[in-house]
Amino acid sequence: MLAEVQEDQVKYHPDNYSKLSKEEKNLHEKAFTTNSNDPDYWKLEIGKDENGERLVVPEGDVLFQFRKDVEEKKLPLVSWLVAPEHFSDHPGSPWYGAWYISEVLNILTKDPETWKKTIFIINYDENDGYFDHVLPFAPPVNPSQPVDMNGKEGVEYVDKTQEYMSSPSLKSYEKVEGTVGLGYRVPMIIASPWTKGGFVNSEVSDHTSVLQFLEKFIMKKFKKDVHVENISDWRRAICGDLTSAFNSSSVKVPKMDYLNQKDYAKTINAAKNKPVPNLKWYSEDELKDSLLDIQERGLKPSNPLPYHFHVNLEGDHIKMTNLKDNGVPLLVYDRTQFDNNNYHFSYALYEKQTLSHTVQPGAYDYEVFGPNGFFRKFKGNKTAETEVILTNMTSKNQIELIIKNHKKKNFSISLKDLYTRSERTISVQKMEEKSLLTLINTKAGMICS
């Protein structure tokens, strides 16, 4: 650590700073704006909470410079607010983030002229290990969709020849070769005059989506190209630019009651004296359907998504077709190969692209995952005698279920609605092709066996 400090003293010496260009100096000064002009900067106020216990809070204003820039209308076109640790919602300090966000919104909405042209994006850098049932997508690396690792696609791949792998601080078990891809989901909220109404947006996005949005916004408004070179082609195709989150909703802005910092801090400090809740740990056998049904009830309005694609089992392959321009990430799991470590395949359906995944002969059991909770499961013993094809007919708000019987005998298919639990049996004659149409429901889920 001492060696690093000594190196920094040389590297960041004022003499070196004076050699920078005007643009570089400006970027440096803007990037490291702090609250040092606050007369109470770094001072602490020691008081008591509602239980009379010692309470320590910043005496100054942790948003001093931001507040000043907004009030004086000197806010740059793009600003990044990095919260101090105690206001960052990390597990070690999970209390004060709510006040921090509330106060930023309070500052931005105080002047209607400022707010009417503001987009406030609240983002997090990790999910802190909380359970997430949505699998993260990864770049395609499989025999069916070969990719040039060093090509323009920029598929994010880690191998042992890279400098990262030679780091002495890296443990041996951390030196894993493979694609980087997307991580587990983190929360993101967009507050603006164009995102009213509590809409949910389920387009696949990541942290580069914010940069892609800025690219598009600045190009549209100022005709300036600020293209970010280090976003790979795969990531640009798969991750949206956040424009799908904006709409022209006529929903009225709700009245917000902003949190008072000092009063809120007293309540938080007093929470440690509350009794520990009587939690029960359940064994796997105790986890019944009714116990797991704890998700908040009700529906939220959703933004339209730019996806339209089909995934069906046709003959001896799974056919994947993208009917639109936006890229579609897909994960294919072969459950019969879990013990052989050859069960996982990543695909990327680029603009208007069709790909196939070969089904192994004999018994098969495949699961396919896509964006917005998309799921298909294909399980059976033979692939040639029966085909079941599901087609989204979005223009008619319908789905079409096509059943093809290549057998020389009649058979029946059971169709079960996962939400209403209703079930019906469909008879299909030998060598017959039967088509069923149904209206698309907001809760679409069925099992065909």
Side-chain angles (χ1 to χ4, degrees), residues 33-49:
T33 300
T34 66
N35 295 314
S36 56
N37 291 325
D38 182 357
D40 294 319
Y41 186 51
W42 279 356
K43 289 182 181 178
L44 294 176
E45 178 181 326
I46 301 174
K48 294 183 179 181
D49 66 17

Side-chain angles (χ1 to χ4, degrees), residues 91-234:
S93 36
W95 298 107
Y96 298 102
W99 171 82
Y100 191 88
I101 292 170
S102 170
E103 191 60 19
V104 171
L105 278 168
N106 189 13
I107 293 167
L108 290 171
T109 57
K110 195 172 182 180
D111 177 19
E113 287 299 310
T114 299
W115 178 244
K116 76 178 185 181
K117 54 186 179 183
T118 296
I119 297 167
F120 179 36
I121 299 175
I122 304 164
N123 215 339
Y124 294 81
D125 66 345
E126 55 188 300
N127 71 354
D128 293 316
Y130 291 122
F131 174 78
D132 185 13
H133 66 284
V134 176
L135 297 164
F137 298 108
V141 179
N142 57 71
S144 303
Q145 196 174 7
V147 176
D148 178 6
M149 294 301 172
N150 300 310
K152 182 177 178 294
E153 292 95 336
V155 171
E156 302 136 17
Y157 193 83
V158 176
D159 64 40
K160 292 183 178 177
T161 65
Q162 295 171 350
E163 183 181 353
Y164 165 77
M165 287 294 194
S166 63
S167 171
S169 62
L170 207 62
K171 306 290 190 297
S172 58
Y173 60 82
E174 294 176 309
K175 297 182 179 182
V176 180
E177 292 186 291
T179 55
V180 178
L182 307 182
Y184 292 99
R185 296 186 304 173
V186 293
M188 191 190 78
I189 301 167
I190 303 178
S192 78
W194 307 278
T195 50
K196 303 191 301 289
F199 280 72
V200 174
N201 192 62
S202 299
E203 183 179 6
V204 176
S205 301
D206 80 329
H207 289 89
T208 70
S209 297
V210 178
L211 301 177
Q212 293 185 60
F213 173 74
L214 291 174
E215 286 178 348
K216 182 161 284 190
F217 177 82
I218 292 171
M219 174 58 77
K220 288 280 187 183
K221 189 171 180 63
F222 301 101
K223 308 297 184 213
K224 288 185 177 180
D225 184 4
V226 289
H227 185 78
V228 181
E229 296 294 339
N230 60 355
I231 302 177
S232 70
D233 289 356
W234 171 80

Side-chain angles (χ1 to χ4, degrees), residues 247-258:
N247 56 57
S248 56
S249 171
S250 59
V251 175
K252 291 184 178 179
V253 179
K255 184 181 182 301
M256 291 183 283
D257 295 322
Y258 298 104

Side-chain angles (χ1 to χ4, degrees), residues 197-198 200 295-302 419 441-443:
V200 174
Q295 182 171 321
E296 183 180 353
R297 295 190 177 276
L299 297 174
K300 290 287 186 182
S302 178
Y419 289 94
N441 197 304
T442 52
K443 293 181 177 180

